[in-house]
């Protein structure tokens, strides 16, 4: 790579594309409070000075703003570092120049944060390995990967691909910018903060060495970011691979394997990217139980009796969750989305029953929605609780699938791929 990479990063076309990406992705402000909406005006006023510092190798990013987000399943919190909008824009501009050069050199077994590659492809490839007879998985979980990236090793890998010293200084400055926490700046001696556009590319660069080692050993594996599964034919082989790869990761890469979450097991006993497999006559991929539990927990939050909002608002809040979840899990081969649709509708029927409160109101609403008056009267007098009554024939007639469609409720079954 030439020594004019920084000029390419600062080119008007590249910066315009970076700004467009920032506006499209939105995102929260960093430590300076600048919003994405303010970015175009700020750049119009200050770009000449910013460009000069970049071209002279003097640009200094601001510390990132630390935000704690809950881990799925209630497993504690994860630290997310949010760079300022301006720093994110410059990272994006760097990414746009480096990714087309680096990505073609990465392993075909790596699927995370790469153009034209996806989690769906990773899950499908994992299933293909199991179908081919590799029915034990070495499931490796890296402990706090983004927090423990060694800066010197990472920068050595970058320097092997980038000769422009200004770009090298800029990337290191992003790594060492620090974190603003409780009004104090914490120095970053290791790690690559999650939250910046450049971090996923740098993480793939770090773990490309792992990919090459696994390829050299002839393993069948799938890696998505820091989630790596290796497929072998026997448990004994799996234990041997787990021990040797753990040594490689901890001694060569200076990272740590999470022994509590890593294991050798059957693929249908483990989950990968939210999916698992059913060991039946025909191997089928399906949604992992923990993913279903998280989905139901989220739906319960949005349809809780104590929220004090009506059916229309509930459906409005539910729809983005249903679309996102169905869009991701639509490649399941077990039909969970259809059954979960029914469960969501039952939650909403239960909500309606509770909100109607009195027997008189329940009879009026049920008959208004098309139920026979005698059936409405019998249902309203039932001593059963709201959840049991939500599956009563009368409630199904009043709140049919067709009626929920008229209310605008998304059906996840509509997303299922043939």
């Amino acid at each position: 790579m030439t020594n004019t990479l920084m000029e390419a990063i600062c080119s008007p076309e590249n910066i315009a594309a970076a700004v467009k990406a920032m506006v499209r992705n939105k995102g929260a402000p960093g430590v300076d409070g600048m919003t994405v909406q303010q970015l175009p005006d700020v750049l119009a006023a200050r770009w000449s000075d910013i460009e000069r510092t970049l071209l002279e190798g003097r640009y200094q990013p601001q510390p990132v703003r630390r935000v704690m987000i809950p881990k799925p399943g209630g497993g504690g919190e994860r630290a997310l570092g949010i760079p300022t909008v301006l720093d994110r824009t410059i990272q994006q501009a760097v990414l746009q120049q480096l990714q087309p050069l680096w990505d073609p050199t990465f392993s075909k077994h790596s699927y995370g944060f790469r153009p034209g590659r996806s989690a769906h492809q990773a899950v499908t490839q994992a299933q293909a390995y199991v179908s081919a007879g590799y029915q034990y998985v070495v499931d490796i979980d890296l402990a706090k990967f983004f927090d423990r990236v060694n800066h010197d090793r990472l920068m050595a890998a970058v320097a092997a691909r980038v000769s422009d010293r200004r770009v090298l200084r800029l990337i290191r400055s992003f790594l060492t910018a620090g974190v603003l926490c409780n009004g104090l700046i914490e120095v970053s001696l290791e790690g690559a903060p999650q939250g910046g556009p450049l971090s996923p590319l740098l993480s793939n660069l770090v773990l490309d060495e792992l990919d090459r080692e696994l390829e050299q050993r002839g393993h069948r594996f799938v890696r998505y970011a820091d989630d790596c599964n290796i497929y072998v034919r026997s448990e004994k082989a799996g234990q041997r691979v787990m021990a040797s790869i753990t040594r490689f990761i901890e001694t060569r890469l200076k990272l740590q394997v999470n022994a509590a979450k890593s294991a050798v097991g059957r693929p249908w006993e483990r989950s990968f990217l939210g999916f698992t497999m059913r060991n039946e006559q025909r191997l089928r991929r399906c949604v992992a139980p923990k993913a279903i539990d998280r989905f139901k927990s989220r739906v319960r939050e949005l349809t809780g009796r104590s929220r004090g909002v009506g059916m229309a608002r509930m459906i409005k809040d539910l729809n983005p969750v249903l679309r996102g979840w169905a869009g991701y899990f639509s490649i399941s081969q077990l039909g969970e989305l259809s059954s979960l649709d029914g469960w969501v509708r039952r939650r909403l029927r239960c909500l309606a029953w509770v909100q109607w409160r009195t027997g008189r109101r329940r009879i009026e609403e049920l008959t208004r929605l098309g139920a026979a008056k005698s059936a409405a009267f019998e249902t309203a007098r039932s001593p059963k609780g709201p959840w049991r009554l939500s599956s009563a024939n009368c409630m199904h007639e009043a709140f049919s699938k067709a009626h929920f469609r008229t209310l605008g409720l998304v059906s996840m079954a509509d997303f299922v791929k043939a």
Side-chain angles (χ1 to χ4, degrees):
M1 193 179 295
T2 69
N3 290 319
T4 60
L5 177 58
M6 186 61 84
E7 280 74 14
I9 290 170
C10 293
S11 69
E13 300 81 8
N14 193 54
I15 294 300
V19 172
K20 186 175 181 180
M22 287 301 101
V23 173
R24 181 177 63 249
N25 296 336
K26 300 178 182 179
V31 295
D32 62 355
M34 183 197 301
T35 65
V36 171
Q37 291 74 24
Q38 295 171 310
L39 176 63
D41 291 339
V42 170
L43 282 182
R46 295 176 49 198
W47 175 244
S48 60
D49 292 335
I50 296 169
E51 182 182 29
R52 186 180 307 111
T53 61
L54 287 166
L55 293 175
E56 294 175 357
R58 297 185 295 105
Y59 184 84
Q60 184 57 49
Q62 295 191 63
V64 300
R65 179 168 67 89
R66 177 175 290 167
V67 175
M68 304 304 295
I69 58 174
K71 290 183 179 180
E77 293 182 315
R78 175 183 289 112
L80 188 68
I82 302 179
T84 66
V85 172
L86 179 58
D87 288 339
R88 291 208 301 272
T89 304
I90 294 172
Q91 284 194 37
Q92 177 68 28
V94 175
L95 174 70
Q96 289 166 184
Q97 292 298 312
L98 294 184
Q99 190 161 51
L101 298 170
W102 292 6
D103 193 78
T105 71
F106 290 154
S107 169
K108 66 179 182 179
H109 302 282
S110 166
Y111 292 86
F113 309 116
R114 297 183 61 189
R117 289 177 162 257
S118 68
H120 286 180
Q121 292 172 335
V123 170
T124 302
Q125 180 59 67
Q127 183 181 8
Y129 286 142
V130 178
S131 296
Y134 297 86
Q135 298 196 342
Y136 285 85
V137 59
V138 182
D139 186 352
I140 296 176
D141 183 90
L142 297 179
K144 297 183 178 179
F145 167 71
F146 282 94
D147 296 336
R148 289 182 170 149
V149 170
N150 182 282
H151 287 176
D152 290 337
R153 287 190 56 81
L154 171 56
M155 289 309 303
V158 175
R161 296 167 179 256
V162 173
S163 58
D164 192 324
R165 292 186 178 276
R166 298 167 298 177
V167 177
L168 294 175
R169 282 196 294 268
L170 178 63
I171 292 175
R172 184 175 279 276
S173 71
F174 280 124
L175 295 174
T176 59
V179 178
L180 186 65
C181 183
N182 298 323
L184 298 175
I185 297 177
E186 296 180 2
V187 178
S188 300
L189 300 177
E190 63 179 359
Q194 290 178 269
L198 198 52
S199 292
L201 180 64
L202 295 178
S203 71
N204 274 331
L205 180 61
V206 170
L207 293 174
D208 187 59
E209 189 173 352
L210 172 62
D211 296 340
R212 298 309 174 188
E213 180 69 17
L214 292 172
E215 287 176 346
Q216 187 176 346
R217 298 185 185 191
H219 289 309
R220 288 153 182 82
F221 71 98
V222 178
R223 184 177 64 78
Y224 190 94
D226 57 343
D227 198 346
C228 184
N229 278 7
I230 306 166
Y231 294 87
V232 296
R233 290 190 182 275
S234 69
E235 184 176 7
K236 185 177 180 180
Q239 296 294 350
R240 184 173 63 249
V241 169
M242 173 67 82
S244 62
I245 293 300
T246 296
R247 281 196 302 271
F248 175 83
I249 290 171
E250 296 185 344
T251 58
R252 182 77 67 83
L253 301 185
K254 308 300 182 185
L255 298 170
Q256 187 175 343
V257 172
N258 187 335
K261 293 185 178 180
S262 301
V264 176
R266 295 289 201 170
W268 41 89
E269 297 169 350
R270 309 291 296 176
S271 64
F272 180 54
L273 302 177
F275 290 89
T276 188
M277 300 179 199
R278 281 286 183 94
N279 183 31
E280 300 170 337
Q281 286 184 334
R282 181 172 65 90
L283 190 75
R284 292 188 293 174
R285 59 179 175 266
C286 57
V287 184
K290 285 185 178 179
I292 292 177
D293 289 344
R294 288 195 294 269
F295 170 79
K296 287 188 172 183
S297 177
R298 180 61 178 144
V299 171
R300 287 188 185 100
E301 289 176 12
L302 295 175
T303 59
R305 303 179 191 180
S306 61
R307 284 196 68 200
V309 299
M311 180 76 73
R313 174 61 187 275
M314 290 265 184
I315 290 174
K316 182 180 178 181
D317 293 343
L318 273 173
N319 279 343
V321 175
L322 301 180
R323 286 193 191 95
W325 208 84
Y328 183 75
F329 287 105
S330 58
I331 66 166
S332 171
Q333 298 172 316
L334 206 60
E336 299 98 333
L337 270 60
S338 180
S339 63
L340 287 172
D341 270 341
W343 181 82
V344 170
R345 290 192 295 268
R346 186 175 179 184
R347 287 286 305 179
L348 292 173
R349 292 187 189 105
C350 181
L351 169 75
W353 186 261
V354 171
Q355 290 186 336
W356 289 340
R357 305 194 123 188
T358 66
R360 180 176 179 180
R361 171 86 185 278
R362 288 164 177 166
I363 293 170
E364 289 175 353
E365 293 292 344
L366 287 171
T367 53
R368 182 181 66 81
L369 291 170
K373 192 165 185 177
S374 58
F377 184 80
E378 182 180 348
T379 304
R381 290 187 59 194
S382 172
K384 296 177 182 177
W387 181 245
R388 293 184 66 185
L389 287 172
S390 64
S391 63
N393 289 337
C394 195
M395 289 294 286
H396 273 272
E397 291 174 8
F399 286 102
S400 63
K401 290 183 184 180
H403 182 63
F404 275 119
R405 284 191 183 276
T406 66
L407 295 177
L409 181 67
V410 165
S411 172
M412 293 190 294
D414 292 344
F415 289 77
V416 175
K417 292 178 173 59

